[in-house]
Amino acid sequence: MQIRTRMRFAAVCSALLLAACSSQPPVPDWQMNAQGSAQKALDAYLSGNTRVEQLEWERARAEVARTGRPDLLARLELMRCAAQVASLVAGPCERFEALRPDAAEPERAYANYLAGRLSPERVPLLPEAQRKVAASGDAAALAGIEDPLSRLVAAGVLFQGGRASPAAITAATDTASAQGWRRPLLAWLGLQVQRAEAAGDAEAAAALRRRVAIVEQGGALK
């Protein structure tokens, strides 16, 4: 993931990633370490390197744990769960749920959004990039999301809610492809293969499988 993309997404999902400034006190070591490990974990997850991803998440958690603040740890867990939603990984955000009682309201709202159960009155609590999609449920709103990972998260939420149109699925696939994010790309391509086969479009399914084969040639997810 490009550094600019990582920083923007992490800033939306977490208050951990703050830049140092010469006119301000130095950023604490734990914060810098957590930032670096969280970014590496996201990189590894999206590229399909599970071993490195797990190692870096644990390092990030250990750094945040130094503060004794469960609300910050909850934000970190949401970053991980958002990346999973972007990759069509279904299931509860279990580590966040264990921290929910101490999480701030925006984090609770975002967790509910990722799970597809956000109430309309809580949409303003979401990161700005997700509000329009959450409010309208309209896949066309994806085009207005500049950050690639945020766009994929929104597409994943739409899919979980049964509201992802073919255009939204194509947009998500194209986004993952443009960034070279193997894990979400394989997930979205796999979805397209299933839909092409269900529609009886053998030619489209074959073309999509060729794309899958190219991605897989880069090495199996590990």
Side-chain angles (χ1 to χ4, degrees):
M1 191 194 308
Q2 297 175 351
I3 292 177
R4 180 182 175 187
T5 297
R6 289 200 307 259
M7 290 291 287
R8 186 184 303 129
F9 177 72
V12 167
C13 295
S14 166
L16 297 176
L17 309 184
L18 300 178
C21 177
S22 60
S23 63
Q24 297 175 348
V27 176
D29 286 345
W30 73 264
Q31 195 168 8
M32 296 295 291
N33 294 340
Q35 171 184 334
S37 289
Q39 290 177 349
K40 290 176 183 177
L42 284 172
D43 274 342
Y45 180 80
L46 294 169
S47 66
N49 193 330
T50 302
R51 183 185 64 82
V52 173
E53 172 222 348
Q54 292 177 344
L55 178 63
E56 294 299 338
W57 280 131
E58 288 305 319
R59 286 176 175 169
R61 291 185 186 106
E63 291 297 329
V64 176
R66 291 168 58 186
T67 69
R69 290 184 55 181
D71 60 323
L72 294 183
L73 197 57
R75 291 173 183 169
L76 182 68
E77 297 301 341
L78 282 179
M79 291 173 63
R80 176 174 174 269
C81 290
Q84 291 177 330
V85 169
S87 303
L88 300 181
V89 176
C93 189
E94 293 180 349
R95 285 180 178 266
F96 171 82
E97 292 303 326
L99 299 163
R100 180 183 282 271
D102 297 301
E105 286 302 312
E107 279 68 48
R108 295 185 190 186
Y110 192 61
N112 289 343
Y113 170 67
L114 293 178
R117 58 172 187 267
L118 181 69
S119 55
E121 67 272 11
R122 294 174 67 81
V123 168
L125 293 172
L126 293 178
E128 185 177 356
Q130 305 295 333
R131 291 174 195 165
K132 189 172 182 179
V133 173
S136 65
D138 186 358
L142 292 177
I145 300 178
E146 179 182 357
D147 175 60
L149 189 49
S150 294
R151 191 183 313 131
L152 277 181
V153 171
V157 170
L158 287 175
F159 174 74
Q160 288 186 160
R163 297 175 294 172
S165 65
I169 295 171
T170 298
T173 305
D174 291 347
T175 297
S177 175
Q179 298 298 315
W181 292 336
R182 295 180 63 252
R183 188 185 296 273
L185 178 56
L186 285 173
W188 288 98
L189 282 174
L191 177 61
Q192 286 190 305
V193 169
Q194 293 175 12
R195 295 203 167 193
E197 291 176 341
D201 192 338
E203 183 176 352
L208 288 163
R209 282 194 291 270
R210 288 194 294 272
R211 291 189 66 185
V212 169
I214 289 173
V215 179
E216 290 178 337
Q217 285 173 8
L221 299 183
K222 53 191 181 296

